């Protein structure tokens, strides 16, 4: 993954070393933002997702349904 440096804006590349992440060739700033590190969800929060209504079977199934005819504009777009 490649990203821009938060310090100087230079295009960074992934470091090829035992320390994962990107390193800025100009200022030496390192980051791991694009790798998703330090984003581990604790067990208790993960367990609570099972009760989150966004992930109920009905809610997930609804996201795959075709929109009703009255939800369409004449130009074929969705209602906003």
């Amino acid at each position: 993954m490649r990203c821009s440096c938060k310090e100087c804006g230079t295009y960074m590349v992934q470091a090829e070393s035992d320390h994962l992440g990107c390193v800025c060739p100009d200022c030496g700033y390192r980051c791991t933002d694009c790798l998703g590190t330090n984003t581990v969800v604790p067990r208790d929060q993960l367990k609570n997702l099972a009760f989150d209504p966004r992930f109920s079977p009905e809610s997930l199934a609804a996201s795959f349904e075709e929109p009703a005819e009255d939800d369409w504009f004449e130009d074929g777009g969705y209602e906003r």
Side-chain angles (χ1 to χ4, degrees), residues 45-56:
Q45 287 182 359
L46 188 61
K47 184 179 177 183
N48 290 336
L49 288 178
F51 305 105
D52 190 319
R54 295 175 297 171
F55 303 112
S56 70

Side-chain angles (χ1 to χ4, degrees), residues 23-75:
V23 62
C24 178
D26 287 345
C27 70
Y29 177 78
R30 288 181 162 268
C31 78
T32 57
D33 294 347
C34 62
L35 297 177
T37 55
N38 298 326
T39 58
V40 176
V41 178
R43 262 184 204 263
D44 58 331
Q45 287 182 359
L46 188 61
K47 184 179 177 183
N48 290 336
L49 288 178
F51 305 105
D52 190 319
R54 295 175 297 171
F55 303 112
S56 70
E58 296 82 18
S59 178
L60 291 174
S63 65
F64 291 101
E65 293 176 359
E66 290 290 325
E69 287 295 321
D70 57 347
D71 288 345
W72 287 87
F73 283 112
E74 288 180 16
D75 65 355

Side-chain angles (χ1 to χ4, degrees), residues 3-21:
C3 50
S4 61
C5 179
K6 290 181 182 179
E7 298 295 316
C8 68
T10 302
Y11 188 67
M12 300 191 329
V13 295
Q14 193 164 353
E16 297 195 19
S17 67
D18 58 345
H19 182 75
L20 294 177

